[in-house]
């Protein structure tokens, strides 16, 4: 009889804990999204085969596509300080990658190839003409692969602090696959995600990785990033699971060697790791030009937008 009571007690305890975790997840989601900082225009969605992609369009002239960092807290908001200036001479498109911001966040495995296809289809079906591209972090590698797949859709490319090639070449492991499975679980997987991605971790990224001068960090920007990480019921956790388990990685050395596009790399001079990473790209594609931006680290388009735009205009002959 005792074992039955123990079993029932255990079931009740698990139920209570589950209910509390569920309530905590909902509270975090409500707090992060209650101000609706990432408002969406229903006309600004591209209906792609794996989900709807949100984008904005501004200006006139030769198109420029802005692709934010592949990060669950990122969105086209990453470019909000430079879009107006760039749109004075060009048609500027800025997208929320699948799994990010206002775009759909399906429960799938996110891969490098998935984003290559997304970028290629977006250019062909929405922009409709050859475009210049600016991409941050690992998103730059999607762009390189898209160039290699079809050299008629992309003209010049600027990569902002691209991912280190050695890190990109690392493949998923059994441990990584297990972590991905755990994060993908309902309720408790969402809790793991919320413990890993929250306002404190986002603040730490801004203060110690994104910006060189922490005094320039905007609370508004951090709140937008927090909302982006939670939008659509925290379903960015599926992208997060794919990122940390390395499913998003890809060895792009072959694409580099065969790239005929004009490729430039902008690096934040105040963190030498980005310059070292850029040099590795240049070893495989010597034609790459590396430009350092002083007093910046990972996101110069937010920290020094004027300096960033001036350099883009030089490289893109605007």
């Amino acid at each position: 009889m005792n074992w039955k009571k123990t079993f029932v007690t255990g079931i009740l305890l698990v139920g209570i804990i589950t209910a509390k975790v569920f309530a905590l997840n909902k509270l975090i989601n409500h707090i992060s999204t209650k101000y609706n900082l990432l408002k969406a225009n229903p006309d600004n969605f591209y209906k792609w085969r794996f989900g709807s992609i949100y984008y904005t369009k501004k200006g006139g002239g030769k198109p420029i596509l802005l692709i934010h960092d592949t990060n669950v807290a990122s969105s086209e908001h990453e470019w909000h300080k430079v879009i107006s200036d760039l749109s004075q001479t060009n048609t500027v498109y800025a997208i929320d990658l699948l799994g990010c911001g206002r775009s759909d966040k399906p429960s799938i495995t996110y891969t490098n190839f998935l984003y290559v296809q997304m970028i290629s289809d977006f250019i062909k079906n929405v922009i409709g003409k050859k475009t210049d591209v600016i991409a941050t972090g690992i998103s730059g590698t999607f762009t390189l692969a898209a160039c290699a797949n079809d050299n008629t859709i992309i003209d010049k490319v600027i990569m902002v602090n691209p991912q280190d090639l050695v890190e990109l070449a690392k493949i998923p492991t059994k441990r990584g696959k297990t972590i991905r499975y755990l994060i993908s679980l309902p309720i408790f997987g969402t809790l793991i995600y919320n413990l890993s991605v929250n306002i404190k971790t986002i603040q730490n990224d801004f203060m110690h990785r994104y910006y060189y001068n922490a005094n320039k960090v905007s609370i508004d920007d951090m709140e937008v990033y927090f909302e982006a990480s939670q939008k659509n019921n925290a379903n960015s956790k599926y992208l997060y699971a794919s990122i940390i388990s390395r499913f998003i990685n890809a060895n792009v050395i072959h694409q580099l060697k065969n790239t005929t596009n004009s490729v430039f790399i902008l690096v934040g001079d105040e963190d030498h790791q980005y310059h070292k990473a850029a040099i590795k790209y240049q070893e495989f594609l010597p034609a790459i030009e590396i430009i350092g931006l002083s007093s910046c680290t990972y996101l110069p388009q937010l920290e020094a937008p004027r300096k960033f735009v001036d350099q883009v205009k030089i490289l893109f002959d605007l």
Side-chain angles (χ1 to χ4, degrees), residues 131-142:
T131 181
D132 293 329
V133 178
I134 308 175
T136 304
I138 196 173
S139 297
T141 66
F142 310 153

Side-chain angles (χ1 to χ4, degrees), residues 86-106:
L86 292 175
S87 66
Q88 298 300 313
T89 53
N90 296 75
T91 304
V92 180
Y93 294 83
I95 59 174
D96 285 352
L97 292 171
L98 193 73
C100 301
R102 290 150 290 197
S103 292
D104 284 348
K105 303 178 178 182

Side-chain angles (χ1 to χ4, degrees), residues 32 52 57 66 87 95 99 120 154-155 166 172 186 211 223 230 251:
S32 64
S52 294
K57 176 184 177 183
L66 305 178
S87 66
I95 59 174
S120 299
I154 296 174
D155 192 4
V166 175
Y211 276 55
E223 289 178 345
Q230 284 288 327
N251 191 330

